[in-house]
């Protein structure tokens, strides 16, 4: 049976789409043996790994957020991110994340969930992509090594890696690990494919790419605004710039993946060692939903998360129908 690697890209609330893909894969017994993630993709993956696959319809935190009543807006923020605004706004960041509160909101304090996490990690690798800002380099946190034994101490180290992988500035305060500042991996690599290409246990890769977004339309909308709405335009522009920073690098990442496969095919080989790393030829299946918004929590439209989740299920089903 084909063994798959899965890439849970960053993308804000677009990641509900990735949740739909992962849930469909699990319910259709598609073996996923290695996951790489960054940013909001990390939230989806930890919820997936804490899911009781035999007795629960959906992952535990996701099941709360797809109800999408107005009262659930608070739960989405608190459960998925564990965010807390500073008592006195400093102007440098909107939220800090209390590690203990976040761990609890992710259900990592529950013995049953810890046991499920250990069981699922026994049959699957998980890598978190982050950016060491102090050293200006990308890094992978290997969750299986961090959580080789699951206890309070190892979960504390895991939470450092997890939070490093979701920290987008200036929304969140940058995380410090060993005196270095860390932010999410999307600044350098929003679709972390590399460790999947290095893993000979992975036969094929499924990746989610959120770059099919009409930036031209969004800029037109901002530039042609005539009323005096500077605060609102400024917020929208800031969100758009953040999207550009975190998604446009995907073009380079997929070009590199395509090049690796093409080079190996031209060489007539299944693998090659480059700079001390061995890369394996992997068919790459890319899901590219169009025009998903990164931030969808509002009183105007509280149904987008559910739509994204359902769209992910529909599009991965269609992909497998043609494979």
């Amino acid at each position: 049976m084909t063994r798959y690697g899965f890439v849970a890209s960053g993308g804000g609330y677009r990641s509900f789409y990735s949740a739909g893909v992962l849930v469909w894969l699990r319910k259709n017994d598609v073996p996923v043996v290695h996951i790489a993630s960054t940013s909001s993709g990390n939230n989806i993956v930890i919820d997936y790994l804490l899911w009781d696959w035999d007795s629960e319809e959906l992952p535990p935190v996701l099941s709360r957020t797809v109800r999408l009543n107005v009262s659930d807006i608070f739960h989405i923020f608190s459960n998925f991110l564990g965010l807390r605004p500073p008592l006195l706004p400093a102007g440098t960041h909107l939220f800090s994340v209390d590690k203990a509160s976040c761990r609890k909101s992710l259900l990592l304090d529950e013995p049953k969930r810890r046991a499920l996490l250990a069981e699922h990690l026994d049959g699957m690798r998980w890598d978190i992509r982050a950016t060491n800002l102090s050293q200006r380099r990308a890094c992978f946190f290997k969750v299986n090594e961090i959580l080789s034994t699951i206890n309070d101490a190892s979960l504390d180290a895991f939470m450092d890696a997890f939070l490093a992988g979701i920290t987008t500035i200036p929304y969140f305060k940058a995380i410090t690990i060993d005196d270095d500042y860390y932010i999410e991996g999307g600044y350098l690599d929003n679709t972390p494919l590399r460790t999947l290409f290095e893993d000979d246990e992975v036969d094929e890769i499924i990746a989610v790419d959120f770059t099919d977004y009409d930036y031209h339309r969004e800029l037109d909308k901002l530039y042609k605004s005539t009323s005096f709405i500077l605060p609102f335009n400024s917020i929208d522009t800031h969100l758009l710039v953040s999207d550009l920073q975190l998604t446009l690098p995907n073009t380079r990442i997929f070009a590199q993946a395509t090049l690796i496969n093409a080079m190996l095919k031209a060489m007539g080989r299944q693998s090659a060692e480059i700079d001390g790393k061995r890369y394996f030829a992997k068919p790459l299946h890319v899901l590219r939903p169009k025009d998903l918004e990164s931030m969808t929590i509002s009183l105007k439209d509280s149904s987008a998360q559910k739509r994204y989740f359902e769209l992910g299920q529909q599009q991965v089903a269609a992909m497998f129908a043609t494979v």
Side-chain angles (χ1 to χ4, degrees):
M1 182 177 290
T2 303
R3 300 163 300 180
Y4 288 90
F6 181 76
V7 183
S9 302
Y13 285 87
R14 298 180 181 113
S15 285
F16 283 94
Y17 176 96
S18 299
V21 175
L22 270 177
V23 167
W24 187 93
L25 293 172
R26 179 63 210 171
K27 289 188 174 183
N28 286 273
D29 297 319
V30 176
V32 176
V33 298
H34 193 162
I35 298 178
S37 64
T38 194
S39 192
S40 55
N42 299 336
N43 300 88
I44 298 304
V45 176
I46 186 61
D47 199 33
Y48 173 78
L49 293 174
L50 295 172
W51 177 21
D52 188 337
W53 296 337
D54 296 325
S55 63
E56 293 178 317
E57 179 67 18
L58 293 174
V61 175
L62 179 66
S63 66
R64 303 178 191 180
T65 57
V66 295
R67 292 177 308 185
L68 302 174
N69 297 319
V70 171
S71 62
D72 288 318
I73 292 174
F74 170 77
H75 291 295
I76 292 172
F77 275 104
S78 63
N79 288 326
F80 262 64
L81 297 175
L83 301 180
R84 299 292 183 270
L87 292 176
L88 294 175
T92 58
H93 57 281
L94 297 177
F95 299 100
S96 295
V97 182
D98 179 79
K99 188 162 58 172
S101 297
C102 185
R103 187 186 67 229
K104 182 178 181 181
S105 69
L106 293 171
L107 309 182
L108 285 168
D109 285 345
E110 298 182 11
K112 172 190 172 182
R113 300 296 175 183
R114 291 187 180 191
L116 285 167
L117 179 59
E119 177 187 341
H120 295 159
L121 285 175
D122 189 49
M124 179 186 307
R125 287 178 57 186
W126 179 22
D127 302 322
I128 290 176
R129 185 72 152 174
T131 301
N132 184 320
L133 190 59
S134 300
Q135 298 183 24
R136 291 181 286 280
R137 63 178 180 85
C139 66
F140 276 104
F141 291 103
K142 298 183 182 300
V143 177
N144 299 69
E145 294 179 4
I146 297 171
L147 294 178
S148 57
T149 301
I150 296 181
N151 52 38
D152 287 342
S154 64
L155 283 170
D156 187 68
F158 165 75
M159 288 304 302
D160 283 337
F162 176 82
L163 294 175
I166 69 169
T167 297
T168 305
I169 55 177
Y171 306 113
F172 310 150
K173 185 178 181 180
I175 300 299
T176 54
I177 302 174
D178 296 330
D179 296 325
D180 281 352
Y181 280 117
Y182 284 82
I183 54 178
E184 66 157 91
Y187 288 95
L188 294 177
D189 182 357
N190 198 51
T191 309
L193 291 162
R194 198 195 80 194
T195 57
L196 302 184
F197 272 98
E198 295 171 3
D199 186 356
D200 62 354
E201 295 295 315
V202 170
D203 299 314
E204 301 185 18
I205 298 171
I206 300 169
V208 177
D209 178 19
F210 295 121
T211 56
D212 194 353
Y213 189 75
D214 194 341
Y215 296 115
H216 181 101
R217 178 199 62 210
E218 294 304 306
L219 286 171
D220 265 357
K221 189 189 303 180
L222 288 165
Y223 291 154
K224 293 176 181 177
S225 176
T226 56
S227 56
F228 183 71
I229 50 173
L230 176 62
F232 302 104
N233 269 348
S234 179
I235 292 170
D236 286 343
T237 302
H238 190 82
L239 289 171
L240 180 60
V241 168
S242 181
D243 269 357
L244 292 169
Q245 288 175 320
L246 299 178
T247 59
L248 288 184
N250 281 20
T251 302
R252 176 180 55 85
I253 299 301
F254 284 111
Q256 289 178 339
T258 301
L259 179 62
I260 289 172
N261 276 335
M263 287 175 62
L264 289 172
K265 182 178 180 181
M267 295 162 61
R269 300 175 62 179
Q270 284 299 306
S271 69
E273 187 170 316
I274 303 170
D275 292 334
K277 300 286 186 180
R278 180 161 291 278
Y279 297 89
F280 296 84
K282 313 278 186 186
L284 178 60
H285 310 281
V286 184
L287 293 162
R288 290 192 171 96
K290 184 175 178 58
D291 272 346
L292 302 191
E293 298 282 348
S294 63
M295 296 299 292
T296 63
I297 304 301
S298 72
L299 298 179
K300 293 186 301 180
D301 183 7
S302 63
S303 66
Q305 297 85 253
K306 187 174 183 179
R307 293 201 314 274
Y308 293 177
F309 174 74
E310 292 172 348
L311 182 64
Q313 295 185 91
Q314 293 163 10
Q315 293 192 342
V316 71
M319 184 195 82
F320 270 86
T322 60
V323 172

